Amino acid sequence: MRCRASSSSRVRRLVAAASLAVVALSTPAGAEAVPDRAEYVSRLESVCKPGVEATQRAVRGVRSDIQAERLAVAAGKLASAARIFDGTVRRISTVPRPPLDATQLAKWFGYLRLQESYLARAAAALRAQRIVQYQHNAVRFVHNGNLANDVVIAFGFNYCRFKFSRFD
């Protein structure tokens, strides 16, 4: 009887060990817990705030530069803002997303990537002294920012929300 009991306990231990191995293999090493929406917003805001402040410093006076026809200066400021925006989007895109919001956030990041493109194109147009092309891309940049805001309005972002006044 003792042999049977010990062999059945061995089988149970083997089954338990195999179950643990399956769980360990299905969970990537160093995987973080999936955040809820409030945690996600908090993490993104802490990344977006320094980017917003740097962008505001970079574009200070860009409107007056354009009006005074200092297009190369304005183009440099917008190019700097585009690099900052791109870096911020890259950093926030690596933050684990709440699974229930995955579709919304994928759409939001799509709009943000379009914004990156339009901002860089606006800077290039100014550098080439193509004012109409600059205006076209600037309008598309603002429009996509507003579309991005509409997608994540329920999140309550402050710094990660697009505000045109920050680019003024």
Side-chain angles (χ1 to χ4, degrees):
M1 188 148 211
R2 192 166 237 225
C3 290
R4 252 192 231 172
S6 64
S7 72
S8 67
S9 68
R10 271 190 231 136
V11 169
R12 277 184 284 192
R13 277 186 266 154
L14 285 172
V15 168
S19 298
L20 285 174
V22 168
V23 169
L25 290 174
S26 65
T27 306
E32 299 179 33
V34 178
D36 65 1
R37 184 182 282 184
E39 292 171 46
Y40 182 75
V41 168
S42 175
R43 288 180 71 186
L44 260 59
E45 288 287 292
S46 68
V47 174
C48 290
K49 183 178 179 179
V52 164
E53 292 168 347
T55 300
Q56 286 177 319
R57 285 189 302 274
V59 298
R60 189 168 288 131
V62 75
R63 180 178 285 188
S64 61
D65 289 333
I66 292 170
Q67 289 172 345
E69 297 183 16
R70 294 186 299 264
L71 301 183
V73 173
K77 290 178 179 181
L78 285 183
S80 179
R83 283 190 299 277
I84 294 165
F85 190 82
D86 177 55
T88 302
V89 171
R90 250 188 287 117
R91 282 191 297 282
I92 65 174
S93 67
T94 63
V95 175
R97 302 172 191 173
L100 296 175
D101 298 319
T103 304
Q104 263 182 302
L105 291 170
K107 188 174 182 179
W108 183 56
F109 278 103
Y111 285 127
L112 294 180
R113 287 186 189 94
L114 284 172
Q115 274 192 285
E116 290 175 59
S117 170
Y118 294 134
L119 188 55
R121 289 178 191 177
L126 277 180
R127 194 171 313 288
Q129 299 185 358
R130 304 188 82 175
I131 300 300
V132 173
Q133 189 178 4
Y134 157 74
Q135 290 172 332
H136 178 76
N137 285 294
V139 166
R140 293 180 96 183
F141 172 74
V142 172
H143 178 69
N144 275 280
N146 291 330
L147 291 174
N149 287 347
D150 290 346
V151 171
V152 292
I153 195 164
F155 285 70
F157 286 126
N158 178 25
Y159 291 102
C160 292
R161 195 173 121 224
F162 173 73
K163 293 180 184 174
F164 179 68
S165 61
R166 293 178 180 152
F167 291 87
D168 213 9

